[in-house]
Amino acid sequence: MDKNLKPLTYKRILLTNPWFERTLGLLVFAGYILWLALPTRIPAITLFGLALAGVAAAIYAKQPARAREWAKILLKPKNLLLGLILIVAVGVRLPGISQSLPYLDNPDEPTTVTAAIKMLQTGDLNPHFFRWPSLPFYTQFILSLPQFLSGVGSGAFTGLNQIVPDNFYLAGRLLSATLGIATVGLIYLIGRIVYSSAAGLTAAFILAIIPLHSENSRYVTPDIMVGFFATLTLLFAALIYKTGQLKWYLWAGVASGLTIGTKYNVAIVLITVVLAHFLSEKRKGIGFVRLGATIGLALGVFILTTPFLALDLSGFLNEMAFQVRHYTLEGHGANFTGESWKAYLSYIFNEAFVYQGVVALGGGILLALIRQSRADWLILSLPATGYFFFSSALVHFPRNLIPLLPSMALLAAEFILWLTVQGFKLFQGKMRDSNSRLVIKTFIVVILTLGFFFFGIRNSILTTRYNLQPDTRIQAGAWITQNLPVGAKLRLEPFTPYLSPERFQGVTEQRPIGGRGLEWYQQQGYDYLVASSYEYKELIATDPQAALNYSAIFQEAQLVKEFPGDSAERPGPTIRIYKVR
């Protein structure tokens, strides 16, 4: 045997050993624990980097020829561009993801996290809440298990009854961000399959920077998750359309079942799957059995993800009755009730495609209607059915649009590429070099995309910068702890800092300050009043007596410190700390 082969053989034996693979798995798990447990991310990122390098080395050791082939594929220009787009998606989702914790401004975040922690504490896997399907709760429950162990290991709490939920929210937010980034990759694949790689790349960039999608990727809610599963279903529908193969029908059934298991009203994604079957040129000789299998699998997966709809049928039916009344009769307050079709157009204009980006979307829809191609009908189906279905309800929310955004981004991308082709026709005769033509076309696409989505990019960047700022409640809490005397008696409003009851009196409850006059606080021996603009602004506007009380307090009590907030520059309310004279 050639001696020169021994070191290589030894390395291959080491890198292909099952224990090496298990070690890589332990590195990833340890990195996840350190990410959640430590204030700095450097150790976790280091472990993730080592694990990634180990995976690459193991793949090369096992199959060097295939590894070199993959490297060539990864270095192709379109794949490098996709990598850059994914980096952009990461850049507007992950930074500041722990913003404001332990304070929560999204009212739906506690629903998922509280249900998961309750399951962890009681062992009862019935969420007892069916206004949403159960998959988000079980997913958060799975994330909570390692989070609980890391919390015990770091000394944050000693048992189930002492759980501090802050990092449980962070784990859920990281999952949302990951699924949001993955959805960007999925729409690239769909665009490449149905139209072209250029369409996929352009759509991926548009989805990466759409503010409505990037902002909601920071929250523990079902919306980004259902958007991911709906887009995954669309991917399998596109493969049904292209190939007609049985396996894609089955995978479409699984993906659509996960979609429904995340949010009931996105069951409309099945319409796209059915349409893909009829649009496919490969469906000759294929009957309805495959579609039946798809729908059957979707129903089965949905029941598996929400099993207590059968095991707790009365609870499920009562919650569903509430949802029906809520969306059709009772409403959700003046801001989210009314003419839904107008509201969703407003959301698309202001929060999704942001001003001139709507021109690209409208152009894409018009182009699809003019061309009448099968591919266009497939991509248009989900936004069209979703918009009209959601508009039929009394209640409307911007986040309902999230499952529709990937398809809408692809339609906008097709319009931008169409404009590029039309513009290039003006001077393409002067260019014979194919490389020059490609460069010019790419340049035009980039300019048009940046032009149409300038404000979308700007808003996503500003939102990221906003989330990186310290929350006023965190700042106020630190100042109070350092500067107010131990044992002082405080009255805290809602949306004010959480303080230690061992250090200050009266901090275990939060009530509006405007409910009492200044004299009452003096008589009760309060030393300080802590007010929040999220509370006093609403009460001043709606309660005349509270407005008078606030006016007296603001004028006669001594303002010792103010933390300005409630603006586009800094997260959190304005916090005012008054000394009771």
Side-chain angles (χ1 to χ4, degrees), residues 327 331 333-347 387-397:
Y327 270 83
N335 291 334
F336 300 102
T337 306
E339 294 181 296
S340 293
W341 68 274
K342 286 184 180 179
Y344 283 118
L345 288 178
S346 174
Y347 296 148
Y387 174 77
F388 287 110
F389 178 70
F390 297 151
S391 296
S392 66
L394 177 66
V395 175
H396 47 77
F397 298 106

Side-chain angles (χ1 to χ4, degrees), residues 423-497:
F424 189 74
K425 286 180 179 179
L426 298 176
F427 51 87
Q428 66 175 343
K430 301 177 183 179
M431 289 188 182
R432 296 181 180 180
D433 182 23
S434 59
N435 289 330
S436 299
R437 291 183 178 185
L438 179 61
V439 169
I440 294 297
K441 283 184 178 180
T442 303
F443 178 76
I444 295 173
V445 170
V446 170
I447 293 300
L448 287 175
T449 304
L450 294 178
F452 279 121
F453 292 95
F454 170 80
F455 284 103
I457 297 168
R458 172 181 173 273
N459 285 11
S460 287
I461 293 173
L462 290 177
T463 300
T464 301
R465 190 183 74 173
Y466 172 87
N467 286 319
L468 287 170
Q469 303 301 313
D471 191 282
T472 55
R473 288 161 290 190
I474 296 174
Q475 292 180 306
W479 186 90
I480 290 171
T481 300
Q482 293 173 6
N483 293 277
L484 297 191
V486 176
K489 188 174 182 180
L490 279 62
R491 166 55 65 90
L492 303 176
E493 283 197 315
F495 308 107
T496 53

Side-chain angles (χ1 to χ4, degrees), residues 166-190:
D166 302 1
N167 284 337
F168 290 85
Y169 284 97
L170 180 58
R173 288 181 178 185
L174 286 170
L175 176 64
S176 290
T178 302
L179 293 178
I181 296 163
T183 307
V184 173
L186 288 180
I187 198 59
Y188 162 72
L189 293 176
I190 294 168

Side-chain angles (χ1 to χ4, degrees), residues 217-228:
S217 295
R218 302 173 186 271
Y219 299 129
V220 191
T221 63
D223 305 296
I224 291 297
M225 183 182 292
V226 77
F228 170 79

